[in-house]
Amino acid sequence: MSLSLYEITVPVMIAGLDNMSKFLDRGRGYADEKGIAHTSLLNARLAEDMMTLVQQVQRASDTARLAAVRVARVDNIAMPDRETTFEDLQARISATVSFLGTVPPTAFERQADAELVVQFPGGQRVFTGRSYILGFALPNFFFHVTTAYDLLRHMGVPIGKRDFLGWR
């Protein structure tokens, strides 16, 4: 039995978002326990030219949402980047998970081999639904989830691999 395009996308991204939600909670708790301003964590970057923790969460959310929009060809929902607090980020994650829960699994399969043209800042790229998920959406999603995790670790939040994997 083979895995469907839906199975390797939506449930995987929902699990990643759920895990990110949990380690963000750990970050907020750590900041409160240590008397660290939430903004110190939320605006943290690993390098000056990298995105902040808030932006990493936003991009993970966008990648998950746009994977469904682009490949399953479902209607998009507006998610402007207005988050400034841990609570805002949790609401965005929750909205993204809810949105993904509405995507019909069969919609992914119908578009697996269809051409998909995506406009990026450096130009456009042509994919199939399958190559977009495997070659861009999943790697990009996990890049941002991992970077959010790494930012919290870098700032001293006591999280580990088990938190990233959702094992605790």
Side-chain angles (χ1 to χ4, degrees):
M1 179 168 121
S2 63
L3 287 170
S4 71
L5 197 54
Y6 174 89
E7 289 174 306
I8 65 169
T9 305
V10 173
V12 170
M13 289 180 167
I14 287 174
L17 290 165
D18 286 343
N19 296 344
M20 186 167 60
S21 172
K22 290 173 186 159
F23 59 73
L24 286 170
D25 275 344
R26 299 272 308 269
R28 182 180 59 219
Y30 175 80
D32 291 344
E33 177 187 319
K34 300 293 185 184
I36 300 168
H38 287 187
T39 55
S40 292
L41 294 181
L42 295 166
N43 296 319
R45 300 172 189 265
L46 289 176
E48 193 173 309
D49 65 343
M50 290 182 75
M51 294 177 179
T52 65
L53 176 62
V54 167
Q55 293 168 313
Q56 298 296 341
V57 175
Q58 290 166 339
R59 297 299 73 79
S61 164
D62 287 347
T63 301
R65 181 174 45 85
L66 291 173
V69 169
R70 290 173 173 158
V71 177
R73 303 214 175 146
V74 296
D75 290 336
N76 199 358
I77 59 170
M79 290 188 119
D81 293 339
R82 295 187 182 130
E83 294 79 19
T84 60
T85 66
F86 281 107
E87 293 78 14
D88 293 342
L89 292 176
Q90 293 293 3
R92 184 178 182 123
I93 291 168
S94 179
T96 306
V97 169
S98 292
F99 171 75
L100 291 174
T102 68
V103 178
T106 56
F108 271 83
E109 302 322 310
R110 288 192 303 261
Q111 302 302 324
D113 297 315
E115 185 175 280
L116 171 64
V117 180
V118 180
Q119 187 63 45
F120 291 104
Q124 69 180 21
R125 298 259 335 237
V126 179
F127 299 95
T128 62
R130 181 177 291 102
S131 70
Y132 174 78
I133 293 298
L134 294 172
F136 177 76
L138 285 170
N140 193 56
F141 174 78
F142 280 110
F143 172 85
H144 292 294
V145 173
T146 301
T147 304
Y149 166 88
D150 290 343
L151 278 162
L152 291 170
R153 284 280 296 168
H154 179 71
M155 297 301 288
V157 177
I159 55 177
K161 186 176 186 178
R162 290 174 161 260
D163 299 285
F164 184 86
L165 295 174
W167 292 359
R168 104 161 110 185

